[in-house]
Amino acid sequence: MINDSDKTREELIEELVSLRGAEERLRESGAKCRRLSENSPAVVFRFLLSPEGQFSFSYISDAVTRTMGVSAEAVLADSSVLLGLIIPEDQKVFSEAVFRSAQTLTPYRQMLRLMRDGDLVWMDARSTPTALSDGWVAWDGFFFDITERKRDEEELRSNARRFDAWLSSNFIGILQSNDD
């Protein structure tokens, strides 16, 4: 086995230069990822599940302030600042889907309803889990506001119901004749 004392001065300098280059590339890559996430209309996150079943975030973009009205710092300090906004009817569905994704290591995708400033909003959340060596599971993903789309869908359904009601109350029938 070769240890550092067996290396020549030139070999050590070459190794140090290589490590510094790798460190700089890593720093540039991290900065690039931060710029991408901060310019995204979606909230980018890293969500964690501990071996004891506790939720936390190790990263969440500042877009969470614009999207949900809570600061990234507050969410990083306490995940319930964000997760507590999920409406009670969706809390169990959320937890079950997270635990299922953790057990199977399959992507998580769910539409959730949350309360933002007293208003109901819809979020589409998507992430991919990774099992970590210490027993934790991490999801890298994003979520974005689909409230307008959900309102448009409801308006279309409502219009279709009104049209069906009008049609059934105003429909007299079709007369078919055969000239033969």
Side-chain angles (χ1 to χ4, degrees), residues 7-169:
K7 293 182 181 178
T8 67
R9 183 175 197 274
E10 291 79 24
E11 289 172 324
L12 289 172
I13 290 172
E14 185 178 309
E15 189 175 317
L16 181 60
V17 168
S18 175
L19 287 172
R20 285 188 178 161
E23 182 181 6
E24 180 60 28
R25 287 189 301 279
L26 183 60
R27 195 174 13 262
E28 288 171 6
S29 177
K32 182 178 174 181
C33 286
R34 279 188 298 282
R35 284 190 308 274
L36 285 170
S37 72
E38 294 309 324
N39 287 308
S40 171
V43 177
V44 178
F45 62 85
R46 181 161 237 223
F47 180 71
L48 300 169
L49 175 64
S50 75
E52 297 78 34
Q54 299 299 309
F55 299 141
S56 63
F57 288 90
S58 63
Y59 175 79
I60 191 158
S61 64
D62 288 334
V64 73
T65 303
R66 179 184 67 252
T67 303
M68 290 308 304
V70 295
S71 74
E73 293 79 16
V75 174
L76 291 171
D78 180 3
S79 64
S80 70
V81 168
L82 177 60
L83 300 180
L85 300 176
I86 300 171
I87 66 168
E89 297 88 350
D90 288 359
Q91 285 282 346
K92 184 177 180 186
V93 173
F94 165 76
S95 294
E96 288 173 351
V98 167
F99 288 117
R100 186 172 42 257
S101 176
Q103 289 172 345
T104 61
L105 292 178
T106 55
Y108 172 91
R109 172 137 192 229
Q110 194 170 22
M111 286 183 247
L112 295 166
R113 297 171 292 171
L114 298 94
M115 295 304 293
R116 177 180 60 206
D117 300 324
D119 294 324
L120 181 70
V121 293
W122 284 84
M123 296 292 156
D124 187 347
R126 304 172 189 201
S127 60
T128 303
T130 303
L132 304 179
S133 60
D134 56 3
W136 289 64
V137 178
W139 286 262
D140 296 302
F142 61 92
F143 64 86
F144 56 99
D145 190 335
I146 59 167
T147 304
E148 283 301 314
R149 185 179 91 197
K150 286 297 197 177
R151 286 181 185 149
D152 291 345
E153 289 172 357
E154 180 53 37
E155 186 176 341
L156 283 172
R157 281 191 295 278
S158 177
N159 288 341
R161 284 191 299 271
R162 281 197 306 272
F163 178 73
D164 287 345
W166 176 84
L167 191 59
S168 65
S169 67

